[in-house]
Amino acid sequence: MLKLDSIPARWLPLLMPLALAGTVLGQGFGDQVKLDPTGPSKSSVFAADVDGDGQLDLIAAEDWNGSVAWFRQVSLGQFGPRVQLAGGLGTPWRIVAQDMDGDQDVDIVVPTEGSSSVVWLENPGTAAAWTKHSLTIGLKGTGDLVVLDADEDGDPDILATSRLDHKLTYLENLGSGAFAAPVTVTTDISGAKTLGAADLDGDGHVDLLLGGYVSGSIATLKGAGDGSFGAPMEFAEVFQPGFLGGFDLDGDGDQDVLCTGYTPTALVWFENDGAGNLGLPKVIDQAFGATSAHAVDFDLDGDLDVCLVAFASNLCSWYENLGAGNFGPRMELGDGIDGPKHVHVADLDGNGAVDLAVAAKNDDSLSYFPNLAGLLPKLDTLVGLHCAVAGEVVLVGEDLLGATLAIDGVPTPVKASTDTTLTFDLPIDVPGGRHDLALSNGFGTKLWPGGLARYPVLELPPTVELGAPLDIVLDNGGEGLYVLGISGDLYATPAPFTGLGWYHGLELNGVWLSFGGAFTAMEPTKTLTIPPSASVGLVGITFHFQAWTHQSALGLSGFTAVQSVLVE
């Protein structure tokens, strides 16, 4: 039995523990859970550990009755009844939870429509009533806010918009929850409302994203790191922008901008060139009345997916990032939300996958969608074996009980499984090379491309340009010898290489070619480069490669799978 924690000494040269990152296929969310469906209208939701018990709770801003409510997580994924923390807040439109006074518990910041204030609610850390602190800053028509350390002094400051006077205001936190006099950052964006933050130019300082609800103008404001910001630099127009945020959507290391608008291009993103310059909008969806969005890795495949709620079309959905900022089709969640206004993301149930919380204005509900990706099979390490070896293999991971296995898409019988192990017989006819593993359970399928290594491994690109060298990677997993054979289109199919005589040379359209050499302990992997040829007669010809290797320490010999390359 080949186990990761109990391997005979003679197998040690073959063991190649691999850190695995998988791709989730068919992953989705569980059934919608409605909290407080008969309570006051909800305009915003935020997840935070309000009572310090180690579990994330939900906090909601309730606009029609001017209150903030708390829903305590009583057990993983289970929430208690509504508890009102504060009232008399006008029409709270946005809510943010942050430790404003440095006492290590979570406070709440709310802009209050119909007043000139931003309110922060001080968490007493006990069952006592929360203290309301009103920061009067002369707002007219309160809009959005962000809470961040704008002056980089270690405590969170507040930036808030007011659309009727087109103002963006900065409130510096002086420590212990005391704030300096308000500073007007700009009044240059008509109907200033939507506000976001991102380090767009990569200088380590947070920049701002500002959207005009009336004008549709979207601008960036460069942050200096001392609480000051440059003049707005408009880069696009989106009708009634509802959300602006910075996320690396294309995986190139800089923060792009995600934006919602009411219509017609409801969900778009702008690519960052790395210096803070944003390109033309790229449309993800045209859902009518989009109001709120976010980006996070929902399917645990290493890139950022996007979620959206659209108030006017009662839509709650998510979009898979297929790589490089290309997004899949709309995948809708739930069918019972009337007027979803705001979406927030957090791992609420602690299963390692990010869930969705949605605040709705028309049906007054707060909804929670559990993400099932955290319950999919997970692998921690795998074993690399020589292709001359067959036998029982044990995979180690999590959530493996009852999982099914496929190798290169071919179902492979599972002998036994527990929550942390899965045992199967690896047949001898699986050739050398890297093979795809797919594990499935009742929540979906997770794929590890090339996760199973069978030595020797032969890797080359599918095509090569005429006149360019061809690089071939050959991995033996240990010391030994190798011979690389090449055949061309003279064969109707790739040469089978079933005997040993072939490696004296294969006929390549009349040319005999063969490469041989040795692996060492310091170099068990080699890159072989075939020199380029400019002969136009090679264009359109496919060449087939296969390698035979021998491992010195184990006395094992075997062949790779056939790999082919087309000359273009």
Side-chain angles (χ1 to χ4, degrees):
M1 178 179 291
L2 303 174
K3 291 186 177 181
L4 292 176
D5 57 354
S6 180
I7 304 290
R10 70 190 188 93
W11 293 112
L12 292 180
L14 291 178
L15 296 185
M16 296 289 289
L18 302 174
L20 298 175
T23 300
V24 179
L25 306 176
Q27 178 271 332
F29 289 80
D31 293 336
Q32 173 186 357
V33 179
K34 275 194 175 183
L35 311 177
D36 195 36
T38 61
S41 169
K42 311 293 190 298
S43 58
S44 182
V45 59
F46 202 95
D49 184 7
V50 173
D51 54 358
D53 65 352
Q55 298 185 124
L56 291 178
D57 311 305
L58 290 175
I59 314 163
E62 301 172 333
D63 51 0
W64 284 0
N65 72 336
S67 58
V68 169
W70 169 43
F71 298 83
R72 181 175 180 267
Q73 186 167 188
V74 295
S75 61
L76 289 177
Q78 303 294 318
F79 294 85
R82 172 185 180 273
V83 175
Q84 182 169 312
L85 298 180
L89 299 175
T91 307
W93 184 76
R94 176 69 71 238
I95 188 170
V96 175
Q98 184 70 269
D99 180 9
M100 304 304 296
D101 51 6
D103 63 356
Q104 308 305 309
D105 54 30
V106 174
D107 308 305
I108 296 171
V109 186
V110 186
T112 57
E113 183 83 35
S115 75
S116 62
S117 301
V118 168
V119 170
W120 76 274
L121 303 171
E122 183 180 353
N123 188 342
T126 64
W130 290 49
T131 303
K132 184 192 303 183
H133 301 272
S134 293
L135 306 175
T136 302
I137 56 178
L139 300 178
K140 294 182 179 179
T142 304
D144 206 351
L145 64 76
V146 294
V147 178
L148 52 86
D149 187 6
D151 54 4
E152 301 176 10
D153 65 351
D155 50 33
D157 310 303
I158 298 173
L159 288 124
T161 60
S162 48
R163 69 182 187 279
L164 297 183
D165 57 1
H166 323 297
K167 186 186 294 184
L168 171 60
T169 301
Y170 167 57
L171 285 163
E172 180 189 356
N173 191 337
L174 301 176
S176 301
F179 286 84
V183 175
T184 298
V185 178
T186 184
T187 58
D188 290 342
I189 300 297
S190 178
K193 182 178 181 181
T194 309
L195 188 61
D199 181 8
L200 295 173
D201 52 8
D203 64 353
H205 305 311
V206 176
D207 310 308
L208 298 179
L209 299 160
L210 180 60
Y213 195 70
V214 176
S215 66
S217 296
I218 302 176
T220 62
L221 293 86
K222 179 175 172 56
D226 58 0
S228 65
F229 296 88
M233 302 292 291
E234 298 184 32
F235 66 91
E237 288 188 5
V238 174
F239 181 67
Q240 292 185 357
F243 173 86
L244 287 167
F247 307 95
D248 184 7
L249 297 175
D250 53 6
D252 64 354
D254 52 41
Q255 290 194 301
D256 310 301
V257 174
L258 181 66
C259 174
T260 67
Y262 211 77
T263 187
T265 52
L267 180 62
V268 299
W269 71 282
F270 301 88
E271 183 177 356
N272 189 343
D273 67 356
N277 302 305
L278 301 168
L280 296 175
K282 299 184 179 185
V283 179
I284 300 174
D285 197 359
Q286 293 184 336
F288 179 66
T291 47
S292 180
H294 209 88
V296 74
D297 185 7
F298 287 118
D299 53 8
L300 306 180
D301 66 350
D303 51 29
L304 297 184
D305 312 300
V306 169
C307 61
L308 168 77
V309 296
F311 174 75
S313 51
N314 295 330
L315 177 67
C316 178
S317 59
W318 77 282
Y319 309 82
E320 181 185 359
N321 192 333
L322 305 177
N326 299 302
F327 290 89
R330 177 194 303 176
M331 291 182 278
E332 297 188 23
L333 303 178
D335 57 3
I337 301 180
D338 186 4
K341 195 72 174 176
H342 183 243
V343 63
H344 186 73
V345 298
D347 181 9
L348 295 169
D349 51 15
N351 71 352
V354 177
D355 311 302
L356 287 177
V358 179
K361 186 176 178 67
N362 290 349
D363 67 6
D364 309 329
S365 67
L366 186 63
S367 293
Y368 154 55
F369 293 92
N371 187 345
L372 303 182
L375 301 174
L376 287 168
K378 307 173 187 66
L379 290 181
D380 298 325
T381 52
L382 285 179
V383 179
L385 301 173
H386 196 279
C387 64
V389 176
E392 193 172 85
V393 177
V394 177
L395 307 181
V396 178
E398 300 174 43
D399 297 318
L400 300 180
L401 183 64
T404 60
L405 171 68
I407 300 176
D408 293 333
V410 178
T412 301
V414 174
K415 296 178 66 175
S417 65
T418 68
D419 188 58
T420 58
T421 63
L422 185 143
T423 305
F424 68 97
D425 281 329
L426 185 64
I428 192 65
D429 59 357
V430 176
R434 301 198 191 278
H435 301 276
D436 298 339
L437 287 184
L439 285 171
S440 303
N441 61 13
F443 300 102
T445 299
K446 196 167 183 180
L447 175 68
W448 283 266
L452 176 61
R454 295 277 273 163
Y455 299 114
V457 174
L458 176 67
E459 296 175 317
L460 62 151
T463 62
V464 62
E465 292 186 5
L466 180 68
L470 174 63
D471 289 333
I472 299 174
V473 177
L474 188 58
D475 188 352
N476 197 43
E479 294 183 52
L481 305 173
Y482 70 88
V483 177
L484 178 69
I486 309 170
S487 66
D489 278 341
L490 184 64
Y491 295 93
T493 59
F497 303 154
T498 55
L500 296 182
W502 66 267
Y503 59 69
H504 290 293
L506 291 170
E507 185 180 2
L508 176 61
N509 294 332
V511 179
W512 298 82
L513 291 178
S514 180
F515 295 82
F519 297 96
T520 67
M522 300 300 294
E523 191 182 20
T525 300
K526 289 183 176 294
T527 299
L528 310 176
T529 299
I530 296 181
S533 172
S535 172
V536 294
L538 297 178
V539 174
I541 292 181
T542 299
F543 295 105
H544 312 292
F545 296 80
Q546 190 171 35
W548 171 90
T549 72
H550 177 79
Q551 281 200 338
S552 301
L554 304 177
L556 296 173
S557 301
F559 294 89
T560 67
V562 176
Q563 300 287 332
S564 303
V565 61
L566 172 66
V567 179
E568 294 184 330

